Amino acid sequence: MATVIPHSLFTNFDIDLFKSGKHFRLYEKLGAHLITVDGVEGVYFAVWAPTAQSVSVVGDFNFWTFGDHQLEVRWDSSGIWEGFIPNIKKGTIYKYKIQSNNDGIITEKADPFAFYCEKPPYTASVVWDLEYKWKDSKWMEKRQDQNGLGKPFSVYEIHLGSWKRHGEDNRFLTYLEFAEDLVNYITETGFTHVEFMPIMEYPYDPSWGYQLVGYFAPTSRFGNPQEFMFLVDQLHKAGIGVILDWVPSHFPDDAHGLGFFDGSNLYEHPDRRKGYHPDWKSLVFNYGRNEVRSFLISNALFWLDYYHADALRVDAVASMLYLDYSRKEGEWEPNIYGGRENLETISFLKDFNEAVYSNYEGVQTIAEESTSFPMVSRPTSIGGLGFGMKWMMGWMHDTLEYFQKDTVYRKYHQNDLTFSMTYMFSENFMLPLSHDEVVYGKKSIAGRMPGDEWQKFANLRLLYGYMFMHPGTKLLFMGSEFGQSSEWNFEGSLDWHLLQYPIHEGVKKLITDLNYLYKNQPALYEKQFSPEGFEWINYSDHQNAVISFIRKGNNSKEDIIVVCNFTQITRENYRIGVPRNGKLTEILNSDAKVYGGSGVFNVNEILIEALPYDGRDYSAALILAPLSVSVFRIK
């Protein structure tokens, strides 16, 4: 047997924290770490495998020979195997070969804490360091002000593998190429944040990254860890926040992954009713096992720590919260109180959010949660789950359902639009038009709009204008910002050639101007989660399919008035009530010719009259362009 020197990075306190589910820096201990012991350089390996009879490190340095480099199990019943192997260098490829006490089963696994992985389809881990000299201090120092709940969040959701590809051979761009092309594009279009669909290492491209194996490694498809750090660095230097999709809800059963890791159900719940996800044919974490909680929360903090992420969007929270999610009667067991809520998950999510917010200033967590589970984005101190924001799936569904209807029928369905305001302020909502809405036969967002080409794009511009004026933060999936015609295809690039056509360039121009307006009009963000920030003018004009409302900030003199016309009929002398005397100035009209519209707009300033209307003492007569959003300021 080759030399493995006994060595440990763990203290007794570390072990106590690990066993109690409270060790949130496990990435500093478990995994492969380049260190020097007694003047000799090498790698310290540590892996959690409590059911193991023996654990060997195999790799290109020992010709993948089982038993040559065996780790030693700790004496403290933690189940951690560890040891120092001298003369191993950065870039060494390795796995753990584990012989189990369970009938001698042998598994060969990638390192759950590896910082870097082989490029798929290869599956081994790579010894690596995380040394990098960050240059984003200005962003990090002011992040608490830039990234707060009372600030603009206009998020560009991106799948790195299909945003843009190299033309001739359809190859992926690299992190370094993204650091130029993507940063310039986000700067041009004005989004405040970019959200990366999972960049943690995953084996199967069609999973889009939502079936993770390398939880601590950015995918090697686009480069190495330092190159991804450089991409984040460049985004921050440009004043753009970075949101990472995080997937603690399930993981694949690939042979080299977390499943059946040491010959036992180590990471997954042993009860298949809780440990297997029928929709995704994947395994579900055992949220009641303390060591698994330490693993997951450590992983969340790792991306905030080493990669300077500004927010984590947590995927598929609904599937975690309910024991009967996608399960038929008899396929699930109620909790101790007879309910369907997963109490272990609820406890875990609260611990996760408390750990994030107590350790990092100015960060956010965002829940993709599609049910009416209460207080998702409320503090744990008052019984909430502790997230900063929650996706508003009801708004997304109702709004798209409404917009797909022919304009003739919209007067019968106005409640689909106005209903969102009855529960808008029960959570801190983000309005998503995400990747899930442009796949599996749903068509692109533009493709779902009714009418001829002109009406489709007028409807699209109206949808985006309405979205940006509606309370809540915003998220738009890549390609939607220029009216991608076809569904999203993860195997190729977006249809960038469409921007040669004025109607597509016009949509992009509108998104750019909406982002500018959102960021520069405090009424649109200062009270975006408060009922004090919104007031209806008229939501009941079903016959004309028109709604009007006021957005409010801290200064009433900066209030914004919004009027939406959901039919293709131009409405002249359309009167609305206004809160005070003065003049109205139109500051944005989605029907402007520069956006591809017909160019109907309100000329100059509109005099406000002392004529009661809509329950107010003052009113004004407007021209409403067809299928448009008009935005006004009072002077």
Side-chain angles (χ1 to χ4, degrees), residues 402 406-414 542-545:
Y402 177 87
D406 190 285
T407 57
V408 172
Y409 304 110
R410 287 181 177 177
K411 62 184 177 181
Y412 304 112
H413 300 277
Q414 193 141 315
H542 302 262
Q543 192 62 37
N544 290 313

Side-chain angles (χ1 to χ4, degrees), residues 121-167:
Y122 300 105
T123 58
S125 304
V126 181
V127 174
W128 209 258
D129 63 47
L130 295 176
E131 295 180 4
Y132 179 79
K133 188 175 181 180
W134 287 89
K135 299 177 182 178
D136 63 348
S137 58
K138 289 184 179 180
W139 168 267
M140 297 298 283
E141 289 167 3
K142 65 182 180 180
R143 180 170 68 178
Q144 193 165 12
D145 295 327
Q146 299 261 116
N147 208 50
L149 293 178
K151 298 295 181 180
F153 263 75
S154 176
V155 182
Y156 187 69
E157 185 191 26
I158 180 172
H159 177 260
L160 282 178
S162 57
W163 181 69
K164 185 183 292 185
R165 292 199 181 188
H166 191 267

Side-chain angles (χ1 to χ4, degrees), residues 36-267:
T36 300
V37 175
D38 297 330
V40 179
E41 294 180 349
V43 176
Y44 165 79
F45 291 93
V47 62
W48 179 49
T51 309
Q53 178 180 322
S54 68
V55 177
S56 294
V57 183
V58 297
D60 58 358
F61 65 98
N62 64 5
F63 304 101
W64 302 92
T65 305
F66 181 40
D68 265 12
H69 292 85
Q70 287 191 13
L71 303 179
E72 293 188 0
V73 66
R74 289 182 60 88
W75 54 270
D76 50 22
S77 73
S78 63
I80 294 172
W81 296 72
E82 60 185 352
F84 174 77
I85 303 179
N87 303 316
I88 292 182
K89 300 184 182 301
K90 178 177 176 179
T92 298
I93 299 170
Y94 71 99
K95 283 186 178 180
Y96 296 118
K97 202 149 192 175
I98 303 169
Q99 184 171 12
S100 176
N101 280 323
N102 184 5
D103 296 329
I105 293 171
I106 295 177
T107 60
E108 188 171 293
K109 297 291 186 176
D111 188 345
F113 284 83
F115 297 145
Y116 192 28
C117 301
E118 282 191 296
K119 188 174 181 178
Y122 300 105
T123 58
S125 304
V126 181
V127 174
W128 209 258
D129 63 47
L130 295 176
E131 295 180 4
Y132 179 79
K133 188 175 181 180
W134 287 89
K135 299 177 182 178
D136 63 348
S137 58
K138 289 184 179 180
W139 168 267
M140 297 298 283
E141 289 167 3
K142 65 182 180 180
R143 180 170 68 178
Q144 193 165 12
D145 295 327
Q146 299 261 116
N147 208 50
L149 293 178
K151 298 295 181 180
F153 263 75
S154 176
V155 182
Y156 187 69
E157 185 191 26
I158 180 172
H159 177 260
L160 282 178
S162 57
W163 181 69
K164 185 183 292 185
R165 292 199 181 188
H166 191 267
E168 294 181 1
D169 54 7
N170 199 39
R171 71 160 174 83
F172 294 134
L173 298 186
T174 67
Y175 290 129
L176 298 182
E177 288 171 321
F178 283 115
E180 182 173 350
D181 290 3
L182 179 61
V183 172
N184 289 340
Y185 188 74
I186 299 298
T187 301
E188 176 191 352
T189 49
F191 290 92
T192 64
H193 293 72
V194 61
E195 178 181 318
F196 293 116
M197 292 169 65
I199 52 84
M200 300 82 177
E201 193 60 79
Y202 57 98
Y204 186 52
D205 282 354
S207 79
W208 312 333
Y210 289 100
Q211 299 264 5
L212 305 184
V213 168
Y215 269 76
F216 291 82
T219 178
S220 55
R221 288 168 173 80
F222 315 114
N224 65 41
Q226 282 76 12
E227 289 167 341
F228 180 64
M229 292 176 185
F230 179 74
L231 170 55
V232 175
D233 214 355
Q234 293 301 108
L235 286 162
H236 281 172
K237 287 168 69 177
I240 300 162
V242 176
I243 303 171
L244 301 182
D245 269 14
W246 185 55
V247 190
S249 48
H250 65 118
F251 57 94
D253 61 359
D254 292 61
H256 67 291
L258 297 178
F260 209 58
F261 188 81
D262 62 351
S264 72
N265 300 120
L266 189 60
Y267 288 91

Side-chain angles (χ1 to χ4, degrees), residues 189-190 468 510-521:
T189 49
F468 271 79
L510 174 65
I511 290 293
T512 302
D513 289 352
L514 285 170
N515 276 325
Y516 179 85
L517 196 67
Y518 180 37
K519 291 186 293 187
N520 288 279
Q521 297 293 338

Side-chain angles (χ1 to χ4, degrees), residues 387-454:
F387 285 93
M389 286 178 264
K390 171 183 171 174
W391 276 21
M392 197 174 185
M393 311 295 278
W395 173 88
M396 177 197 70
H397 177 270
D398 291 348
T399 301
L400 290 177
E401 185 75 16
Y402 177 87
F403 268 87
Q404 288 179 100
K405 290 179 168 58
D406 190 285
T407 57
V408 172
Y409 304 110
R410 287 181 177 177
K411 62 184 177 181
Y412 304 112
H413 300 277
Q414 193 141 315
N415 186 58
D416 289 350
L417 286 176
T418 59
F419 181 69
S420 64
M421 296 312 304
T422 64
Y423 63 96
M424 176 67 221
F425 303 109
S426 62
E427 300 276 4
N428 297 337
F429 279 121
M430 174 177 280
L431 312 182
L433 292 174
S434 73
H435 65 275
D436 282 326
E437 302 314 305
V438 293
V439 290
Y440 300 142
K442 294 179 182 178
K443 302 181 180 179
S444 66
I445 301 296
R448 294 164 81 158
M449 300 296 106
D452 58 21
E453 183 183 62
W454 188 92

